Amino acid sequence: MNKIAKALAISTLLLGSMSAIHATVIFSENFDEYTAGEPVPWNTDYSENWLQVVAYDFDTETDSSHMFSAGPNQYGSLSGSNLSSQMVARSTVFDGPGTQTGQMSFAFYDPSSEPHSGNGFVFRISNQDSGNAKAAFAIFIQNGELILAYGSDIIPSATSFASYNQNEANQLDIVFNNSDSPLTYSGGTIVAGAMDVYLNGELVGDDLGRAGSLGTGVNIRSFNITAKTSPAFTGTMYLDDIVVDDSISIPEISESSLYMGIIPLVLLALRRRRNKRS
């Protein structure tokens, strides 16, 4: 290995170590461990698995169109028609105590060929695996719009707070603060009992309010996806790389600058050293 390649390798390891310091994943799902073409199994593994609700089709599919990844990949496909049951899918209760502050991230793809009826999918961040009473935050995802939920019954707001492109993969990062105090992180400060929402890396929701009946000061230990069925719900959505982390991984400006600067500085130093010897 030449000196430049070795220096780059060391820099990569350093960056990976620095990133790992900040990461404490308490739930993750990428669907790669399941059999493609079959339903996501009903599973009570508390580390990395979902619970599936039978009233809805929740299958594992091969990412042959490379919606989420250029390489080999699988994703979860949610689809149903004229559903009268609300619960779609839910995580197991997270192993351990959970967290009052953190980040939920996932990639989603909303096909326009299968538009949602009713109020759309709602993602609820909660203390237990189901029910409005245990929810703290909720966002509706429907036909190209992100809509904030409000109230104890988790009702969609009249207008959306952001728009996304259908027929392509989108990344959603929800930084939540269910504590009784403000949360300061690299993106700013979130008041107690609120969340910041990032769509494809851009802040689109600042200090968004809560929904459900869970009070502040209570740990987040689960999340679920619900189809609000008034009227009956029809819709399809693809999901991948779902992660809940009790730390926040949106890079700080100073940290990002360090990451961007390390490799050029290493290369410059090696070039100067080589020039002195020649």
Side-chain angles (χ1 to χ4, degrees), residues 235-253:
T236 295
M237 182 171 291
Y238 310 140
L239 299 169
D240 204 2
D241 296 325
I242 305 167
V243 176
V244 180
D245 200 323
D246 66 6
S247 61
I248 299 167
S249 59
I250 297 172
E252 299 181 16
I253 295 175

Side-chain angles (χ1 to χ4, degrees), residues 12-275:
T12 301
L13 289 173
L14 176 60
L15 294 182
S17 299
M18 293 174 68
S19 298
I21 292 173
H22 299 285
T24 310
V25 173
I26 55 179
F27 179 93
S28 67
E29 181 60 85
N30 62 13
F31 304 97
D32 289 339
E33 66 185 271
Y34 304 129
T35 301
E38 296 185 3
V40 175
W42 185 282
N43 199 311
T44 55
D45 183 341
Y46 276 65
S47 59
E48 294 188 356
N49 288 303
W50 288 68
L51 293 176
Q52 179 190 14
V53 173
V54 179
Y56 212 80
D57 291 330
F58 188 19
D59 299 330
T60 301
E61 302 293 345
T62 300
D63 193 3
S64 56
S65 299
H66 301 294
M67 294 181 294
F68 295 105
S69 174
N73 184 53
Q74 294 183 172
Y75 63 89
S77 173
L78 293 166
S79 64
S81 179
N82 294 320
L83 297 177
S84 58
S85 177
Q86 290 192 356
M87 178 64 68
V88 175
R90 62 191 180 191
S91 72
T92 53
V93 174
F94 306 147
D95 190 20
T99 180
Q100 293 181 22
T101 63
Q103 179 174 332
M104 179 180 176
S105 302
F106 57 91
F108 71 95
Y109 184 108
D110 182 4
S112 62
S113 59
E114 302 181 56
H116 308 173
S117 66
N119 291 325
F121 292 100
V122 58
F123 286 71
R124 299 188 293 192
I125 299 174
S126 62
N127 174 256
Q128 293 185 5
D129 56 11
S130 63
N132 292 337
K134 297 296 183 178
F137 308 101
I139 295 174
F140 287 86
I141 300 180
Q142 181 184 31
N143 299 330
E145 304 292 337
L146 299 180
I147 303 168
L148 181 65
Y150 71 94
S152 59
D153 292 331
I154 303 189
I155 300 169
S157 300
T159 58
S160 64
F161 66 87
S163 300
Y164 61 86
N165 292 331
Q166 294 183 271
N167 304 318
E168 65 180 56
N170 294 276
Q171 177 69 26
L172 198 66
D173 298 287
I174 303 169
V175 182
F176 57 85
N177 178 18
N178 201 48
S179 74
D180 294 318
S181 304
L183 167 68
T184 298
Y185 72 108
S186 59
T189 299
I190 308 176
V191 300
M195 60 181 169
D196 282 358
V197 177
Y198 292 80
L199 176 64
N200 299 324
E202 179 183 354
L203 180 65
V204 294
D206 183 27
D207 281 343
L208 297 182
R210 57 199 299 103
S213 300
L214 188 70
T216 57
V218 182
N219 284 4
I220 298 300
R221 302 185 62 216
S222 182
F223 68 90
N224 58 78
I225 306 170
T226 297
K228 288 292 188 178
T229 55
S230 179
F233 181 81
T234 295
T236 295
M237 182 171 291
Y238 310 140
L239 299 169
D240 204 2
D241 296 325
I242 305 167
V243 176
V244 180
D245 200 323
D246 66 6
S247 61
I248 299 167
S249 59
I250 297 172
E252 299 181 16
I253 295 175
S254 57
E255 187 176 287
S256 300
S257 300
L258 176 63
Y259 286 4
M260 294 298 291
I262 282 180
I263 291 177
L265 288 174
V266 170
L267 292 175
L268 179 60
L270 289 173
R271 289 193 189 101
R272 287 177 174 174
R273 184 177 180 182
R274 183 179 58 192
N275 290 337

